[in-house]
Amino acid sequence: MKNCISVKEILITSTEIDKRVTEIANQITADYKDSSPLIIGVLKGAWIFMADMVRKIELDVDVDFICVSSYGGGTSTSGQITLLKDITTDCSGRDVIVVEDIIDSGTTLMYLREMLLERNAASVNIATLLSKPSRRVVDIDVKYIGFEVPDKFVVGYGMDYKERFRTLQDICVLKEEVYKKK
Ligand code: IMP
Ligand code: MG
């Protein structure tokens, strides 16, 4: 495996991810059968989950991407959200699904949901691959959750630590010494 020297533990394998992504996509296909939702991926962490999931959703969907920053390159949120790249699609009157890699404190998704509702989206639901419930700071309703994970910093399947490890196929925890390095 790529970068395997840095990996301490595989938390979720690519086979388990694929099975769960299929289940969520089937659920979305059923829930939105009378709609053509606008699916917004949160860059960069959600890109692989988004790409895999949209291809399994059997609906006529539109896709767009947004990029926000709340982490200053470390392992915990700064609490301050900056919009780095906006969507280019008009979301007014649309059923929107925001696709995230992981919900930690919940501040990023709270910010995005409020912004999209202010822009008159007809509905805003959230699909996240991972959730760390023990870290939640804001109370946010999440309709689709892939897996609940413990309070460990994870990488792979799109998620990074200081921009590394995004292309690992499994979701992994790194060795302590990697997080300590500058
Ligand atoms: P929140 O605003 O605290 O919920 O932070 C959510 C964002 O933080 C996610 O979209 C991720 O980009 C990032 N994040 C939180 N936990 C992790 C992790 O364990 N690994 C990688 N990124 C994470
Ligand atoms: Mg993210």
Side-chain angles (χ1 to χ4, degrees), residues 17-159:
I17 297 169
D18 185 61
K19 182 168 171 276
R20 189 71 188 114
V21 172
T22 305
E23 287 168 1
I24 295 175
N26 290 345
Q27 190 63 52
I28 290 175
T29 302
D31 291 351
Y32 287 83
K33 64 181 187 315
D34 302 319
S35 172
S36 45
L38 169 62
I39 306 195
I40 302 176
V42 184
L43 293 172
K44 300 177 194 171
W47 65 303
I48 294 180
F49 174 41
M50 170 95 168
D52 282 349
M53 190 173 70
V54 290
R55 285 179 292 171
K56 293 173 189 271
I57 295 175
E58 292 183 34
L59 296 171
D60 196 9
V61 303
D62 288 337
V63 297
D64 206 334
F65 291 93
I66 200 162
C67 187
V68 292
S69 150
S70 65
Y71 277 57
T75 60
S76 65
T77 182
S78 66
Q80 178 81 35
I81 316 273
T82 315
L83 185 61
L84 299 175
K85 182 219 164 295
D86 205 344
I87 49 170
T88 53
T89 316
D90 179 7
C91 65
S92 109
R94 301 293 304 268
D95 290 319
V96 174
I97 304 172
V98 180
V99 179
E100 251 291 30
D101 50 359
I102 181 162
I103 306 189
D104 188 58
S105 69
T107 26
T108 306
L109 279 168
M110 186 65 100
Y111 168 90
L112 289 177
R113 170 181 273 167
E114 270 162 25
M115 189 186 87
L116 294 162
L117 288 171
E118 262 169 38
R119 294 180 186 180
N120 299 317
S123 66
V124 179
N125 277 315
I126 293 161
T128 186
L129 181 67
L130 305 180
S131 171
K132 282 184 197 166
S134 63
R135 302 255 312 167
R136 204 75 85 250
V137 172
V138 292
D139 189 22
I140 183 156
D141 182 36
V142 186
K143 188 152 184 179
Y144 309 100
I145 298 179
F147 302 90
E148 291 200 340
V149 290
D151 181 12
K152 292 180 176 177
F153 196 82
V154 296
V155 297
Y157 197 68
M159 288 169 284

